[in-house]
Amino acid sequence: MHRDPPGNPPRRPRSPGASPWGQAPSREREARPIERAPRPRPLQEHLDDGQPEQGGAAAARERRSVELRLYGLNAVRAVFAHRPQAIRKLYLSEDRIPALQPLLKWCVANRVGYRVVDEVDLHKLAASTHHEGVVADVLRAEPESLSTWLRDLPAGPQCALWLDGVGNPHNLGAILRSAAHFGVNAVLLPKQSTLALSGAAARVAEGGAEVVPMVRLGRTDNAIAQLRSAGFTLAATVVQGGSDLFATPLPQRVIYVLGAESEGMDRDLAAACDLSLSIPGTGAVESLNVAAATAVLLAAWRSKRVNA
């Protein structure tokens, strides 16, 4: 069974049968047309040249709190498609210039700094070898409030995911990718959750992070009341003891509640849900991990909506 890596904060007691699912620089030289891209400088030089002269570590921390370093071709393209104004800096390998010409032209037109760098520098910028030849510093998209999300929600069938304790960035990225594929309307984050989008999660999401909004909940009891008032049914996902996902009619508006790997969801939250659902299997393994389980749950909901 897959488990999240150690290091997650201590969790509240797991309910019986609860699911284990669930788990920079600033001063660039002026942007130039593509054919005149500047010759790469050593990485440390172009990292240091944008550091503020005053503020030091505090300014760097503040910048990190509002900016996110993305990497991966689809992740960066998705930001350009949905929030181009959020892009602050761009780094790319020379062989990515043809694929990213529209983005580079936009950078030139909007005086956003970009730099052609070598592979080693991209590894350092991304802190990963999975950058696919492009790294970007972008402004974070702040989570919406539940009231705002519900106010703007279209009528008709809707599905959202409540993530109670999921912390692994690769799981989050895979969940966002499935959520975008199946048309999920939001990922709901508990009030005290520290879960946030990271570069690794955005890369795994393959653009899904820009399609599926994150919504910050208030007090749990108030959030549940608001969701029920909007016509949602809360469905706890459990390993054993829940209704068979494939044999149970699903409501038109459903919130799948998923708990962290190993610990499961909070027992009080599980008890407050309207349904408990389990994914039947052979029993050869204990369960699916949270990302795989999410894909199955969403496929079941989508299938029943399409065939209704």
Side-chain angles (χ1 to χ4, degrees):
M1 171 181 166
H2 174 88
R3 297 185 183 278
D4 279 345
N8 288 332
R11 297 282 300 136
R12 294 167 287 187
R14 173 178 172 177
S15 59
S19 167
W21 306 329
Q23 229 222 10
S26 63
R27 191 166 63 241
E28 297 285 348
R29 67 176 67 178
E30 182 178 346
R32 293 176 169 82
I34 298 166
E35 64 274 12
R36 297 178 59 195
R39 181 178 179 181
R41 294 182 294 163
L43 175 67
Q44 195 58 49
E45 183 183 351
H46 71 245
L47 285 180
D48 289 345
D49 70 357
Q51 295 299 323
E53 294 180 1
Q54 297 181 347
R61 283 195 299 271
E62 181 179 357
R63 184 170 59 253
R64 286 194 296 269
S65 71
V66 298
E67 287 188 4
L68 173 65
R69 177 155 287 175
L70 292 183
Y71 54 91
L73 189 59
N74 286 335
V76 172
R77 278 175 164 169
V79 174
F80 179 49
H82 295 277
R83 297 187 301 131
Q85 72 284 356
I87 299 172
R88 288 295 177 263
K89 293 183 184 67
L90 182 70
Y91 306 93
L92 70 158
S93 60
E94 188 170 359
D95 60 1
R96 280 299 185 202
I97 289 176
L100 293 172
Q101 279 199 19
L103 173 53
L104 292 172
K105 290 177 180 178
W106 183 90
C107 288
V108 171
N110 291 273
R111 299 182 64 82
V112 171
Y114 72 84
R115 189 170 302 284
V116 177
V117 298
D118 62 28
E119 193 80 0
V120 173
D121 286 353
L122 286 170
H123 292 348
K124 293 177 182 178
L125 285 161
S128 170
T129 59
H130 302 295
H131 48 72
E132 300 173 348
V134 60
V135 176
D137 289 337
V138 304
L139 293 177
R140 288 184 177 274
E142 291 298 319
E144 298 181 43
S145 69
L146 180 59
S147 297
T148 299
W149 178 68
L150 289 174
R151 181 198 66 197
D152 298 336
L153 196 63
Q158 307 290 347
C159 180
L161 304 172
W162 182 318
L163 303 186
D164 181 49
V166 176
N168 185 298
H170 292 89
N171 277 341
L172 175 60
I175 287 169
L176 289 169
R177 184 173 183 175
S178 293
H181 180 77
F182 288 110
V184 166
N185 293 93
V187 167
L188 311 182
L189 303 177
K191 182 178 181 180
Q192 303 302 327
S193 173
T194 59
L195 186 63
L197 188 69
S198 65
R203 183 193 65 79
V204 174
E206 293 286 349
E210 292 298 320
V211 178
V212 182
M214 290 190 177
V215 173
R216 179 69 65 184
L217 303 176
R219 273 177 35 187
T220 299
D221 55 347
N222 288 344
I224 291 173
Q226 285 180 272
L227 290 166
R228 284 180 177 149
S229 295
F232 282 99
T233 297
L234 274 71
T237 57
V238 298
V239 174
Q240 297 176 343
S243 301
D244 185 328
L245 171 69
F246 304 117
T248 302
L250 295 177
Q252 288 201 350
R253 291 193 159 202
V254 65
I255 306 291
Y256 284 126
V257 184
L258 298 127
E261 290 274 1
S262 303
E263 297 87 357
M265 72 185 68
D266 174 63
R267 63 175 61 179
D268 292 332
L269 177 58
C273 291
D274 306 296
L275 295 174
S276 290
L277 297 174
S278 297
I279 299 174
T282 64
V285 293
E286 182 182 0
S287 68
L288 298 172
N289 88 321
V290 64
T294 298
V296 174
L297 291 161
L298 296 180
W301 181 82
R302 174 82 175 189
S303 174
K304 291 178 181 183
R305 295 281 65 76
V306 170
N307 297 324

